[in-house]
């Protein structure tokens, strides 16, 4: 029962990892009887979903960083194109000037599309944050309820 209370405390305080979830599911590190679970299925499902959403959020954040880096590279290339255009000012009808202007136009479109992608990912992160907050509160409350059942405490303290 000590392992069960420790797991419930970890969930209540929101300090758990994929490794913890795996241990709780498999019974590694503590003996479980056949068909016995350390934690209620509903709590395991909430913890699993929290971890999946956190991973998804990290993926979105990495994607945003990558897209921002892409924008910086495009800016650098645009600066190079502008410098090249300045050196070719007197040749306004030149094919190379047309090519550079066309490249600048394509890169502006690329930046706009990349910024839309970033905005979409930021919006998705906001939704994930909301769902994560609700799931964490629900899991914490459920963990506290099971702790109180195990310890016989009928007057649970308020969540901090």
């Amino acid at each position: 029962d000590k392992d069960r209370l420790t797991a419930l405390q970890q969930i209540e305080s929101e300090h758990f990892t994929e490794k913890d979830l795996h241990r709780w599911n498999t019974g590694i590190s503590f003996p479980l009887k056949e068909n016995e679970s350390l934690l209620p299925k509903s709590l395991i499902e909430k913890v699993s979903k929290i971890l999946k959403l956190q991973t998804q959020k990290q993926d979105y954040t990495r994607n945003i960083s990558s897209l921002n880096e892409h924008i910086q590279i495009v800016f650098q290339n645009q600066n190079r194109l502008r410098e090249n255009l300045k050196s070719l000012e007197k040749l306004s009808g030149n094919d190379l000037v047309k090519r550079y202007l066309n490249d600048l136009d394509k890169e502006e479109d690329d930046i706009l599309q990349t910024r839309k992608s970033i905005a979409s990912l930021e919006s998705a992160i906001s939704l994930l944050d909301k769902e994560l907050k609700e799931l964490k509160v629900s899991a914490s409350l459920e963990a506290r309820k099971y702790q109180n059942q195990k310890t016989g405490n009928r007057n649970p303290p308020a969540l901090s």
Side-chain angles (χ1 to χ4, degrees), residues 66-93:
S66 176
L67 291 170
N68 279 322
E69 288 172 17
H70 173 73
I71 287 174
Q72 292 306 313
I73 290 169
V74 171
F75 282 157
Q76 290 171 356
N77 194 46
Q78 283 182 327
N79 285 337
R80 180 191 61 82
L81 289 170
R82 284 187 187 96
E83 287 175 19
N84 288 343
L85 280 168
K86 279 183 186 176
S87 69
L88 298 171
E89 280 178 348
K90 295 184 173 52
L91 306 171
S92 60

Side-chain angles (χ1 to χ4, degrees), residues 44-56:
I44 289 288
E45 288 170 355
K46 286 177 186 175
V47 168
S48 178
K49 179 135 187 181
I50 287 168
L51 292 168
K52 285 177 186 169
L53 291 175
Q54 287 174 332
T55 299
Q56 191 174 10

Side-chain angles (χ1 to χ4, degrees), residues 9-70:
Q9 288 168 347
Q10 282 182 265
I11 294 168
E12 183 184 0
S13 65
E14 300 175 11
H15 295 293
F16 50 85
T17 64
E18 286 281 348
K19 186 177 177 180
D20 294 322
L21 178 63
H22 180 71
R23 283 183 317 118
W24 300 334
N25 270 329
T26 61
I28 295 174
S29 303
F30 41 82
L32 288 177
K33 297 174 189 159
E34 192 173 326
N35 295 327
E36 181 186 29
S37 176
L38 183 70
L39 299 170
K41 185 178 180 184
S42 62
L43 198 50
I44 289 288
E45 288 170 355
K46 286 177 186 175
V47 168
S48 178
K49 179 135 187 181
I50 287 168
L51 292 168
K52 285 177 186 169
L53 291 175
Q54 287 174 332
T55 299
Q56 191 174 10
K57 181 181 175 180
Q58 290 168 349
D59 289 344
Y60 288 173
T61 301
R62 272 192 295 276
N63 286 343
I64 288 171
S65 293
S66 176
L67 291 170
N68 279 322
E69 288 172 17
H70 173 73

Side-chain angles (χ1 to χ4, degrees), residues 148-159:
N148 291 332
Q149 287 175 357
K150 296 294 177 189
T151 62
N153 182 0
R154 298 291 175 225
N155 296 316
L159 278 179

